[in-house]
Amino acid sequence: MTKERIYLFDTTLRDGQQTPGIDFSVEDKIAIAAMLDEFGMDYVEGGYPGANPTDTEFFTKRRTQQAAFVAFGMTKRAGVSASNDPGLNALLAAKSDAICLVAKSWDYHVEVALGCSNEENLENIRASVEAVVPSGREAMVDCEHFFDGYKANPAYAIACARTALEAGARWVVLCDTNGGTQPPEIREIVSAVIAAGVPGANLGIHAHNDTGQAVANSLAAVEAGARQIQGTLNGIGERCGNANLVTLIATLALKKAYSNRFETGIDADKLQELTTLAHAFDELLNRSPDPQAPYVGASAFATKAGIHASALLKDPRTYEHVAPESVGNLRKVMVSDQGGKANFINALKRRGITVAKDDPRLDKLIEIVKEREATGYAYEGADASFTLLASRILGTVPDFFHVESFRVMVERRFDANGHLKTVSEAVVKVIVDGEVMMSVAEGHGPVNALDLALRKDLGKFQSEIADLELADYKVRILNGGTGAVTRVLIESTDRTGARWWTVGVSDNIIDASFQALMDSIVYKLLKNRDRVGLIAAE
């Protein structure tokens, strides 16, 4: 049976840019467009040329090799010809393969926002599309607020869609701009539009996530006949975001309800890069990936309940709806006080440590983990620290160095210019191969000073940690008061791109931080010797 093609339209660089706190530079847009293009998106919408300097510069040249590069803008204004409309002329001047025109399709908006008649709005749509088609660019029209417009005036909303199609638009995209339409409504209305003469092969869906159903609404539209899906990477967008293309791509490819009927431009090899794409985009945004994101989150294929882990060891299909490898993710059995022996055996095996179920050292490890987690440690969030703990109990960690003592001083004083300043200084005494070394460092706060001093001189190991960087530092107070127990989590990375988390717990924040710093360095030295497994270094 021949499968029908679903076209993927990415609007991360346009609609996604409306996300609070996100402001792409031209360089950001170039990098993201390349990621999307290389991954295999059919359309990459780059922004609104003429509306701002960034987008205008971005469209001075074509930014994709395979994907259609799309410029976005409005239909012409009422009372002005298409040839004299500056906004439309800016679109036609952009170096794009396609032009997406946004048009009003709710008669209430036509009256209030545009201040023109319904007939004038239809003429604006028609004339704008007819201006794009001769330029050789693919024309498409986003029917803004289409579903609200259909509920208010079905005949007019459909007239807007049909006008766009008859004028030559390749795609007519039905937008759930407010994000409040429900999947059964989407299915019913898309079916009605098709019945009214707009073929599904020319219909797209643009869903917002205000009720948490943008993905469901997009799939409902596909089931009803729409063949283009618009969305963004990781579902970014204004308010609650847009349809998450990452989730949609995996669902279309891996769920038989869709994969038996449809195909996209993403083949099985590219699908295995989905997790990398999602995480690389978050890194570019300088934010942590959502650990519970469907398919690609760090916890998407993680379990911590002992009975679940035991079943996973026998057959992963018992608790996994798809194979993690199919989207480039990893199976992860968490280590926690809820875990049974199966969790620990599997966790150790993934780190290259084989231990028998009846080995007394395993019982000791489980006992220590549960005791420590009861006092505040969180090994499920600090895989590197767990690896070190397990290796130490099993007697496999070299004694690289020994910290004999450390001292941290914080002084608040006036400098020579009379300005009040706070200075942090740390002193660390380290022994390597019997040689005592003392290092002193100032830093931006006591933890930074301690980190700099600790890593200042490790003797023969110093060159091995030259590329070690602390990527993140998190502090959590586990109970109230100034004498509270504190948990510190530190994320580290090196030039290989590997990232690992370590943990420290103490009623002294400096001591907790030092524990995590020590674990990070020792883990790095073990990693350099290929002594740690894949999961721990993810």
Side-chain angles (χ1 to χ4, degrees):
M1 184 180 78
T2 303
K3 295 182 180 182
E4 293 186 72
R5 182 75 149 81
I6 302 296
Y7 293 86
L8 302 171
F9 183 108
D10 186 280
T11 182
T12 299
L13 297 176
R14 199 272 303 174
D15 216 0
Q17 188 166 247
Q18 298 185 51
T19 307
I22 289 179
D23 186 18
F24 297 126
S25 66
V26 174
E27 291 72 22
D28 290 336
K29 289 201 164 196
I30 292 171
I32 295 167
M35 290 164 56
L36 296 167
D37 185 34
E38 197 275 334
F39 186 72
M41 298 295 183
D42 296 299
Y43 296 90
V44 174
E45 187 175 50
Y48 197 154
N52 58 74
T54 298
D55 285 0
T56 300
E57 181 180 347
F58 187 53
F59 278 95
T60 56
K61 61 176 68 176
R62 189 170 182 263
R63 303 294 183 178
T64 58
Q65 300 297 320
Q66 305 298 326
F69 188 44
V70 185
F72 174 90
M74 295 177 64
T75 54
K76 78 171 190 69
R77 295 172 296 173
V80 178
S81 68
S83 60
N84 288 321
D85 187 273
L88 192 55
N89 285 330
L91 286 175
L92 293 171
K95 302 296 184 183
S96 68
D97 304 300
I99 291 176
C100 183
L101 301 161
V102 61
K104 303 294 184 184
S105 57
W106 185 359
D107 57 357
Y108 170 71
H109 273 236
V110 172
E111 177 186 355
V112 174
L114 298 183
C116 66
S117 69
N118 287 350
E119 291 70 25
E120 285 177 308
N121 183 54
L122 292 177
E123 170 57 22
N124 292 343
I125 295 172
R126 182 195 61 77
S128 299
V129 173
E130 289 181 347
V132 170
V133 173
S135 73
R137 258 74 68 84
E138 188 174 310
M140 58 187 79
V141 173
D142 275 5
C143 292
E144 188 182 32
H145 291 282
F146 183 85
F147 295 94
D148 293 310
Y150 182 91
K151 294 172 191 177
N153 187 338
Y156 186 68
I158 288 176
C160 293
R162 290 188 62 170
T163 297
L165 180 70
E166 291 166 1
R170 165 66 181 92
W171 292 104
V172 178
V173 182
L174 310 182
C175 302
D176 184 29
T177 309
N178 285 340
T181 310
Q182 301 300 292
E185 296 177 300
I186 296 281
R187 193 176 288 106
E188 177 185 346
I189 293 172
V190 171
S191 297
V193 173
I194 293 173
V198 182
N202 296 99
L203 280 179
I205 179 69
H206 179 108
H208 282 257
N209 203 40
D210 296 72
T211 65
Q213 298 180 98
V215 168
N217 281 342
S218 299
L219 294 173
V222 167
E223 291 163 5
R227 295 296 176 258
Q228 185 204 90
I229 298 176
Q230 294 196 359
T232 60
L233 284 181
N234 297 339
I236 69 167
E238 63 180 329
R239 303 188 312 275
C240 303
N242 289 41
N244 188 338
L245 277 183
V246 173
T247 303
L248 281 161
I249 287 167
T251 298
L252 289 168
L254 299 174
K255 294 303 176 181
K256 290 183 178 179
Y258 303 103
S259 62
N260 285 346
R261 295 179 56 198
F262 308 113
E263 63 181 4
T264 69
I266 312 300
D267 60 23
D269 288 340
K270 282 297 178 186
L271 189 65
Q272 292 178 18
E273 299 175 15
L274 189 64
T275 298
T276 298
L277 174 69
H279 291 186
F281 179 62
D282 277 327
E283 290 293 338
L284 193 146
L285 295 181
N286 196 28
R287 67 180 193 179
S288 298
D290 177 5
Q292 293 189 302
Y295 297 102
V296 299
S299 298
F301 300 97
T303 184
K304 61 191 279 188
I307 188 172
H308 292 185
S310 180
L312 272 172
L313 285 173
K314 295 173 183 176
D315 187 347
R317 292 175 297 178
T318 53
Y319 283 97
E320 291 175 353
H321 65 106
V322 299
E325 299 81 8
S326 63
V327 291
N329 208 340
L330 295 166
R331 181 175 301 114
K332 189 172 186 180
V333 177
M334 310 291 279
V335 178
S336 78
D337 60 3
Q338 295 184 31
K341 280 193 174 183
N343 292 63
F344 285 86
I345 291 172
N346 196 35
L348 292 168
K349 185 178 180 181
R350 295 299 296 257
R351 292 157 178 79
I353 303 172
T354 302
V355 59
K357 188 175 183 179
D358 57 355
D359 191 321
R361 295 176 301 173
L362 177 61
D363 295 325
K364 181 180 179 182
L365 174 62
I366 294 173
E367 180 184 356
I368 290 175
V369 168
K370 291 185 176 183
E371 286 178 355
R372 290 196 174 192
E373 290 210 341
T375 63
Y377 285 84
Y379 287 111
E380 62 188 51
D383 230 21
S385 284
F386 171 73
T387 298
L388 292 177
L389 175 63
S391 297
R392 286 179 176 124
I393 289 174
L394 298 174
T396 58
V397 178
D399 187 13
F400 295 110
F401 61 91
H402 172 70
V403 176
E404 186 170 282
S405 64
F406 72 83
R407 182 174 70 253
V408 179
M409 180 189 71
V410 179
E411 181 183 6
R412 191 167 185 261
R413 55 179 168 78
F414 290 95
D415 63 16
N417 297 316
H419 298 138
L420 188 63
K421 62 185 298 184
T422 302
V423 178
S424 297
E425 181 183 273
V427 181
V428 178
K429 186 183 291 186
V430 181
I431 301 175
V432 180
D433 287 344
E435 182 182 356
V436 179
M437 288 161 287
M438 183 176 292
S439 299
V440 181
E442 288 188 350
H444 301 292
V447 175
N448 179 237
L450 185 60
D451 173 40
L452 293 174
L454 178 60
R455 293 194 285 150
K456 195 169 186 179
D457 189 358
L458 279 184
K460 65 181 183 181
F461 301 116
Q462 187 61 31
S463 62
E464 291 193 43
I465 63 170
D467 63 330
L468 173 63
E469 294 182 12
L470 301 189
D472 202 356
Y473 174 84
K474 298 181 185 296
V475 177
R476 183 176 178 185
I477 305 302
L478 302 180
N479 50 34
T482 55
V485 173
T486 302
R487 177 197 297 152
V488 170
L489 283 169
I490 289 178
E491 183 183 19
S492 304
T493 185
D494 62 15
R495 63 169 172 264
T496 69
R499 310 182 83 85
W500 59 92
W501 284 91
T502 52
V503 63
V505 174
S506 174
D507 56 6
N508 184 306
I509 189 173
I510 304 301
D511 184 54
S513 302
F514 189 75
Q515 292 175 36
L517 288 169
M518 286 271 289
D519 271 6
S520 176
I521 294 173
V522 174
Y523 181 86
K524 165 65 174 170
L525 294 174
L526 279 178
K527 176 180 174 296
N528 289 351
R529 289 155 180 75
D530 296 323
R531 296 284 294 274
V532 292
L534 175 63
I535 290 292
E538 70 182 30

